[in-house]
């Protein structure tokens, strides 16, 4: 019986949930409903931005929406397998500048704030998306 307090203390210090699987980023943003909400807010941000909107003037918004939802799902360890065009195929010929790329990141952050994604989760999402930067900016 004298080991019981020690066991309880160890359990508290280690979190007692070592066998509980960690939720994916996709689950942490609310799964498909959360991804849809985020992408819809992002599209609104783009639609209200006079600098970035021209990049999307020839885009099919519903195609972009569905593709980005699936891409986020895949990138954030959800149950999706994105099979669409890669970032190079999508952005070739768009002549996206570093400034414009950074502006789009700001719009995504605005959208994440708008839908209530905590900053720690936002940072993890941005870290997953950041490696694609070199495939998007072509100077």
């Amino acid at each position: 019986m004298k080991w019981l307090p020690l066991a309880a203390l160890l359990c508290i210090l280690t979190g007692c949930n070592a066998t509980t699987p960690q939720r994916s980023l996709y689950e942490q943003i609310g799964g498909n409903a959360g991804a849809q909400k985020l992408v819809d807010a992002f599209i609104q941000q783009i639609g209200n931005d006079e600098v970035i909107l021209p990049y999307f003037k020839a885009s099919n918004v519903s195609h972009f929406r569905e593709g980005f939802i699936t891409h986020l799902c895949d990138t954030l360890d959800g149950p999706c397998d994105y099979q669409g065009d890669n970032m190079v195929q999508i952005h070739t010929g768009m002549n996206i500048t570093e400034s414009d790329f950074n502006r789009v990141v700001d719009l995504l952050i605005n959208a994440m704030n708008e839908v209530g994604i905590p900053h720690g989760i936002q940072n993890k999402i941005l870290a997953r998306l950041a490696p694609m930067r070199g495939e998007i900016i072509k100077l």
Side-chain angles (χ1 to χ4, degrees), residues 58-97:
S59 298
N60 177 323
V61 176
S62 62
H63 178 75
F64 171 79
R65 179 182 186 273
E66 292 307 312
F68 194 48
I69 289 168
T70 304
H71 186 260
L72 269 180
C73 175
D74 188 17
T75 303
L76 303 181
D77 300 325
C80 307
D81 183 22
Y82 177 74
Q83 296 291 319
D85 293 338
N86 65 41
M87 294 303 111
V88 172
Q89 292 168 320
I90 292 169
H91 298 96
T92 294
M94 294 179 75
N95 300 315
I96 296 171
T97 67

Side-chain angles (χ1 to χ4, degrees), residues 2-76:
K2 52 177 148 171
W3 294 101
L4 188 57
L6 180 58
L9 178 62
L10 285 173
C11 187
I12 290 169
L13 292 175
T14 61
C16 288
N17 61 355
T19 60
T20 304
Q22 191 171 7
R23 293 178 358 154
S24 70
L25 282 173
Y26 182 71
E27 293 169 325
Q28 292 178 55
I29 67 165
N32 190 55
Q36 288 182 24
K37 191 173 174 183
L38 172 56
V39 171
D40 288 343
F42 183 50
I43 290 170
Q44 284 298 121
Q45 290 286 325
I46 291 167
N48 293 324
D49 192 282
E50 62 187 39
V51 173
I52 300 305
L53 184 58
Y55 283 108
F56 290 85
K57 71 179 177 185
S59 298
N60 177 323
V61 176
S62 62
H63 178 75
F64 171 79
R65 179 182 186 273
E66 292 307 312
F68 194 48
I69 289 168
T70 304
H71 186 260
L72 269 180
C73 175
D74 188 17
T75 303
L76 303 181

